Amino acid sequence: MREVRVRFAPSPTGALHIGGVRTALYNYLLARKHNGTMILRIEDTDQSRYVPGAEEYIIKSLEWAGIQIDEGVGKGGSHAPYRQSERKEIYKQYAQKLVDEGNAYYAFDTEAELELMRERLKAQGDPNQQYSSNSRLQMKNSLTLSEAETQQKLNAGEPHVIRFKVPVNQEIYLTDLIRGEVVVNSSQVDDKVLMKSDGMPTYHLANVVDDYLMKISHVIRGEEWLPSAPLHVLLYQSLGWQNEMPQFAHLPLLLKPDGNGKLSKRDADKMGFPIFPLNWKDPATNELAVGYKEVGYLPEALINFLAFLGWNPGTEKEIFSLQELIDEFTIERIGKAGAKFDIHKAQWYNQHYLRSKNNSELASYLLEDLKKENIFCSQEKAEKIAHCLRERVSFPQELRLQSNFFFFAPTQFDEQVILKKWNADAAKLLLAYSTEIKAAKNLNAELAKIILDNTASQLGLKAGQILQVLRMILTGQGSGPDLMLSIEILGSEETTKRINYALQTITIK
Ligand code: GLU
């Protein structure tokens, strides 16, 4: 098998979409599986769409997701530079080669002339109205002008582009590893611009030249590029590189949760979930889009979730570490059908990965959040809280939210619970319980429970009678984590204090 060299080739036109992270991931999995090379190439030839900060954002996002780059922007390598804007001279050379060998031509048409062409073709009933073998001979280009005229225009610096001369009526065959055989007639392909008037190549030329020079073995990219693939095949052929052509794999679209159309940022915004891996502040509008990281997703959860958006292992197994994904991944197991984006599944993965962390790891999330609020908490207490809450959280920040009562005593109590459950017996039992708890040595959950049962039976009452009120006065909540464990964490002094506060403030009307 050919040495596996894959590339992730985003354009720095804004934040990296979550679909882009999936594309990068699939490339990465293939590279790692075959001890190959993962390349990051920045395709920044469209200067008009360049967004400052986008390149750094892409690099940071991949880093956070754990997708490691072996060669490329920010990393270097033997095929540098990896930023297309720094490779202008290279593309020029190949464009020239195409012109010299009759596979491309200079075109001098102005915008107005192109518009006239489209109108003319429209009037003739041509459905495509494109610059192609149908129209090229009516236009102002080096095919219709004499050599001398062309040279004169070039010498005079007249604005021009270089267009690809698509062969007439030729079947273009391409094997897509996901879609199978694709056959397109060249009449479907227009004479695409290869070099723009600003001297920059277009995506098509730069992409093909770089994939060839960088010895790319597999092009794994989104389905939206499938229509360009026949043109790319023709370019490989015209440049004499057909034997070095990479294999193509066009990934299925990411669909809205209901499967109805492509997932867009607007849909994600509307449904309240992120579309970008990290926070992104749009430099044009200053608008902040919150990222998966900041919402509390763990990279391993996002990776596992994204891997399954289009790929499956062919078994029931759903939990895969990155290494397991590398071991199991094959392009053949990527589906053709669009993948529905189900955020609940992402939450489910997050919950799984969060709960598989140990108490000390969970405690560090809590401690970090507490620190921001200048709330002190010992490592030991934070670990106990983590243990107590671990089955109730899906996101790290929920540890802080759900642990508030451990740091702040409730000051208000639910009227309904008081009306229903607060009576002379309850008050009597609570008073006795608080006295016993205060005297208890080495209070833990088990002891707290024994004391409660004993105190109740000594008074001829049942512990169950006060459980709801006890939870309410200790935590301020109607439901929550294990109550006895909560008492252990609060400690005897704080527990007693809270019960006594309730006994003093709650009066029955
Ligand atoms: N620059 C293209 C993009 O932004 C890359 C497409 C490809 O991988 O060929 O998606």
Side-chain angles (χ1 to χ4, degrees):
M1 189 175 160
R2 184 172 173 187
E3 186 194 341
V4 172
R5 289 179 56 85
V6 291
R7 84 303 192 269
F8 178 52
S11 299
T13 53
L16 180 61
H17 190 281
I18 198 72
V21 183
R22 183 194 60 168
T23 302
L25 173 65
Y26 285 13
N27 275 286
Y28 177 72
L29 294 178
L30 191 79
R32 284 293 171 275
K33 187 182 172 93
H34 298 285
N35 294 319
T37 306
M38 168 79 176
I39 297 163
L40 174 66
R41 186 170 74 219
I42 296 290
E43 302 207 327
D44 59 347
T45 55
D46 190 348
Q47 302 283 294
S48 65
R49 296 183 62 215
Y50 179 83
V51 172
E55 183 183 299
E56 292 74 16
Y57 180 90
I58 292 164
I59 293 173
K60 271 202 207 127
S61 299
L62 296 178
E63 248 168 41
W64 174 70
I67 299 173
Q68 291 158 4
I69 301 302
D70 305 312
E71 261 181 45
V73 172
K75 191 86 191 172
S78 50
H79 299 271
Y82 293 92
R83 206 178 274 116
Q84 288 187 327
S85 57
E86 293 166 21
R87 299 171 62 82
K88 265 162 65 179
E89 290 312 310
I90 301 176
Y91 309 123
K92 233 182 234 167
Q93 237 172 283
Y94 288 101
Q96 193 59 51
K97 176 176 153 75
L98 286 167
V99 173
D100 293 347
E101 293 175 1
N103 292 312
Y105 57 90
Y106 298 107
F108 301 93
D109 316 273
T110 61
E111 248 329 298
E113 285 163 341
L114 291 172
E115 189 47 42
L116 273 175
M117 170 199 82
R118 286 189 280 266
E119 277 167 24
R120 191 178 65 241
L121 291 174
K122 198 171 173 184
Q124 289 166 7
D126 187 317
N128 295 325
Q129 298 136 40
Q130 285 171 335
Y131 208 120
S132 68
S133 55
N134 267 346
S135 50
R136 61 169 83 114
L137 293 181
Q138 279 91 55
M139 306 302 290
K140 207 197 292 168
N141 54 45
S142 55
L143 302 174
T144 57
L145 300 169
S146 72
E147 213 168 296
E149 281 172 314
T150 301
Q151 206 46 58
Q152 191 198 342
K153 283 184 184 299
L154 291 176
N155 292 345
E158 211 172 283
H160 65 274
V161 298
I162 294 179
R163 284 185 182 271
F164 187 41
K165 190 176 167 200
V166 174
V168 183
N169 195 22
Q170 183 183 306
E171 300 289 15
I172 311 163
Y173 294 92
L174 111 102
T175 312
D176 185 279
L177 295 172
I178 297 170
R179 270 141 235 281
E181 298 299 322
V182 180
V183 189
V184 177
N185 191 280
S186 62
S187 58
Q188 309 284 320
V189 185
D190 59 328
D191 286 2
K192 282 269 179 313
V193 171
L194 300 178
M195 287 296 269
K196 295 180 276 190
S197 52
D198 63 359
M200 274 289 199
T202 56
Y203 155 72
H204 303 291
L205 179 69
N207 190 268
V208 165
V209 166
D210 285 348
D211 283 348
Y212 168 76
L213 293 177
M214 295 178 184
K215 299 192 161 44
I216 298 302
S217 60
H218 297 76
V219 165
I220 305 173
R221 61 185 172 196
E223 190 181 275
E224 63 274 26
W225 299 105
L226 185 60
S228 303
L231 168 73
H232 297 176
V233 172
L234 286 177
L235 276 168
Y236 279 102
Q237 288 169 354
S238 301
L239 287 159
W241 299 338
Q242 57 273 31
N243 295 332
E244 283 88 7
M245 197 162 78
Q247 288 189 280
F248 291 101
H250 288 92
L251 304 177
L253 288 177
L254 293 190
L255 304 178
K256 287 182 216 187
D258 64 6
N260 241 332
K262 204 172 138 177
L263 177 75
S264 69
K265 177 168 187 302
R266 259 192 38 213
D267 303 319
D269 284 351
K270 245 196 303 185
M271 286 178 275
F273 60 83
I275 197 80
F276 301 140
L278 311 177
N279 273 0
W280 168 253
K281 194 162 178 194
D282 189 323
T285 60
N286 261 344
E287 199 188 317
L288 180 77
V290 181
Y292 276 87
K293 176 181 176 216
E294 289 79 5
V295 164
Y297 281 89
L298 304 173
E300 55 271 43
L302 191 67
I303 288 293
N304 200 156
F305 167 68
L306 288 178
F308 271 74
L309 283 182
W311 173 85
N312 73 79
T315 62
E316 295 294 299
K317 184 173 163 181
E318 291 188 283
I319 301 294
F320 280 81
S321 66
L322 190 55
Q323 188 55 50
E324 287 172 318
L325 287 171
I326 292 168
D327 296 339
E328 293 287 317
F329 184 78
T330 59
I331 295 184
E332 290 68 34
R333 293 219 61 88
I334 300 173
K336 285 199 226 358
K340 283 186 209 162
F341 196 93
D342 177 6
I343 195 67
H344 299 115
K345 197 72 198 186
Q347 289 161 358
W348 178 83
Y349 274 115
N350 212 55
Q351 186 182 72
H352 169 83
Y353 282 99
L354 189 66
R355 291 181 193 177
S356 25
K357 297 210 177 272
N358 61 33
N359 290 337
S360 130
E361 287 169 311
L362 291 183
S364 45
Y365 291 122
L366 174 61
L367 288 169
E368 205 179 299
D369 285 347
L370 287 168
K371 209 168 147 196
K372 286 183 210 150
E373 298 173 64
N374 285 323
I375 300 171
F376 174 76
C377 176
S378 70
Q379 177 71 24
E380 191 195 348
K381 182 173 173 182
E383 286 187 26
K384 280 187 171 186
I385 294 175
H387 171 66
C388 180
L389 294 176
R390 59 179 312 124
E391 291 309 317
R392 308 180 62 84
V393 291
S394 302
F395 293 93
Q397 63 272 33
E398 287 172 353
L399 288 161
R400 171 68 194 99
L401 295 173
Q402 294 188 29
S403 67
N404 203 44
F405 73 85
F406 287 116
F407 305 100
F408 299 100
T411 48
Q412 278 179 341
F413 305 112
D414 186 335
E415 297 259 343
Q416 288 305 317
V417 178
I418 295 170
L419 275 176
K420 271 212 311 243
K421 301 282 178 179
W422 190 272
N423 53 36
D425 279 349
K428 195 161 74 179
L429 178 49
L430 281 169
L431 180 62
Y433 187 52
S434 90
T435 313
E436 293 297 325
I437 287 285
K438 189 167 189 171
K441 294 232 155 50
N442 301 326
L443 182 68
N444 61 20
E446 207 186 333
L447 186 58
K449 173 84 173 80
I450 294 171
I451 296 176
L452 181 61
D453 288 339
N454 288 347
T455 318
S457 73
Q458 275 161 20
L459 295 174
L461 298 168
K462 288 223 159 49
Q465 283 176 259
I466 61 153
L467 279 181
Q468 209 181 340
V469 228
L470 186 58
R471 177 181 294 283
M472 185 189 70
I473 62 186
L474 293 180
T475 73
Q477 298 165 185
S479 66
D482 186 279
L483 188 57
M484 296 303 135
L485 208 50
S486 304
I487 290 176
E488 175 182 328
I489 298 168
L490 285 170
S492 60
E493 201 186 314
E494 184 64 20
T495 304
T496 314
K497 211 165 105 189
R498 291 190 187 186
I499 297 176
N500 291 342
Y501 173 78
L503 287 168
Q504 282 158 20
T505 46
I506 298 175
T507 44
I508 308 168
K509 287 169 208 149

